Amino acid sequence: MGGKWKLLILFHLHHFAKKSYSDFKANLPGISEKMLSQQLKELERDKLIAKNQLSVKPNRVEYFLTARGQSLGPLYEFISKWGIDYLMENNIDYIKDQHLYK
Amino acid sequence: MGGKWKLLILFHLHHFAKKSYSDFKANLPGISEKMLSQQLKELERDKLIAKNQLSVKPNRVEYFLTARGQSLGPLYEFISKWGIDYLMENNIDYIKDQHLYK
DNA sequence: TCAATAACTAACTAAAAAGTAGGTTGTTAC
DNA sequence: GTAACAACCTACTTTTTAGTTAGTTATTGA
């Protein structure tokens, strides 16, 4: 489960419950479509997320956390809080310094 | 912090407080010396661990968690528990199936 | 009808991480 | 005085991951 974007994808689903492919695209700045669909597929394979097929003719889906994905909830929370604390302790303005993380 | 062995190193220190280079070597089956010293160095660089130089003429050291390394304690605990639960839910005998994780 | 959007896939390249095989310095144990 | 151990380091290869660019199908909105 060590992909560059997986934790972020899971974290988004943890907070917003349901998200479409393009929701991720819009909210994960810098991710390429290849990475996005690859990581979604691996998360599905590992049963951490699943998707509803809303329609087929125009292909519309929504992703959500499985029970297993939800069971990692405390982890998402902890890492998020730890990260924010880390940035604050070190006086890093994330918005200003985003170039550091690309 | 995404090295293959880092979490295991941190987890060992979390449980045993102080460990020497060769303690890790003995308790992380499969790690190469290159990987071990590389990951220790990166963890030091990131201020998650530190070492005491016990002697120089014969080079003896002991590694331990810094305050920052300790602040991740709940993470080590959670992941460890989650992993064990995962193995049990799926009837995986870790000892028997170690080859799966090499 | 033409552009934009949604949800993808595929081919290829580049960069990062890990593995392999060796070498070093200085000890103590036999 | 030789082997074994501790704590490393170096060069090189292989594997894995990520980035780039370019398609595909189908739909709605102007």
Side-chain angles (χ1 to χ4, degrees):
Chain A
M1 222 221 66
K4 178 166 171 184
W5 299 95
K6 284 186 189 149
L7 201 66
L8 253 20
I9 290 172
L10 293 169
F11 186 76
H12 274 280
L13 285 176
H14 178 63
H15 273 281
F16 300 107
K18 282 158 199 278
K19 297 212 121 200
S20 69
Y21 184 90
S22 48
D23 286 336
F24 290 119
K25 222 169 60 168
N27 292 302
L28 299 172
I31 198 173
S32 69
E33 307 224 11
K34 177 202 151 194
M35 274 294 113
L36 178 53
S37 70
Q38 193 177 99
Q39 310 255 312
L40 287 170
K41 219 171 288 171
E42 290 175 22
L43 288 168
E44 268 191 275
R45 181 200 62 197
D46 298 336
K47 309 265 167 64
L48 292 168
I49 67 172
K51 67 176 162 183
N52 286 327
Q53 189 81 31
L54 301 180
S55 83
V56 181
K57 299 78 71 78
N59 190 13
R60 289 303 120 89
V61 299
E62 64 183 14
Y63 290 92
F64 57 93
L65 292 179
T66 61
R68 183 181 292 171
Q70 282 172 33
S71 75
L72 287 171
L75 189 103
Y76 316 140
E77 297 287 346
F78 182 83
I79 291 178
S80 162
K81 180 164 187 324
W82 195 89
I84 291 167
D85 289 350
Y86 176 89
L87 294 174
M88 296 213 309
E89 275 165 31
N90 295 278
N91 295 308
I92 298 168
D93 179 345
Y94 168 67
I95 302 298
K96 196 178 112 217
D97 296 335
Q98 275 197 48
H99 62 282
L100 292 173
Y101 309 99
K102 63 162 185 255
Chain B
M1 224 220 62
K4 178 168 172 182
W5 299 95
K6 285 187 189 149
L7 202 66
L8 253 20
I9 291 172
L10 292 169
F11 186 76
H12 274 278
L13 285 176
H14 178 63
H15 273 280
F16 300 106
K18 279 157 201 278
K19 296 211 120 200
S20 69
Y21 184 88
S22 48
D23 287 336
F24 289 119
K25 223 170 58 171
N27 293 301
L28 299 173
I31 198 172
S32 69
E33 307 224 11
K34 179 204 149 193
M35 273 295 113
L36 177 53
S37 70
Q38 192 177 99
Q39 310 254 320
L40 287 171
K41 218 172 290 171
E42 289 174 20
L43 288 168
E44 269 191 274
R45 182 202 59 196
D46 297 337
K47 309 267 166 62
L48 292 168
I49 69 172
K51 68 175 160 184
N52 285 329
Q53 189 80 29
L54 300 179
S55 84
V56 181
K57 299 78 69 82
N59 191 11
R60 290 301 121 90
V61 298
E62 63 183 15
Y63 290 92
F64 57 94
L65 292 179
T66 60
R68 183 181 291 171
Q70 283 173 32
S71 75
L72 287 171
L75 191 103
Y76 315 142
E77 298 287 346
F78 182 82
I79 291 178
S80 163
K81 180 162 189 323
W82 195 89
I84 291 166
D85 290 350
Y86 177 88
L87 293 174
M88 298 213 310
E89 276 165 31
N90 294 279
N91 295 308
I92 298 169
D93 179 345
Y94 168 67
I95 302 299
K96 196 178 116 220
D97 295 335
Q98 276 196 48
H99 63 282
L100 292 173
Y101 308 99
K102 63 163 185 259

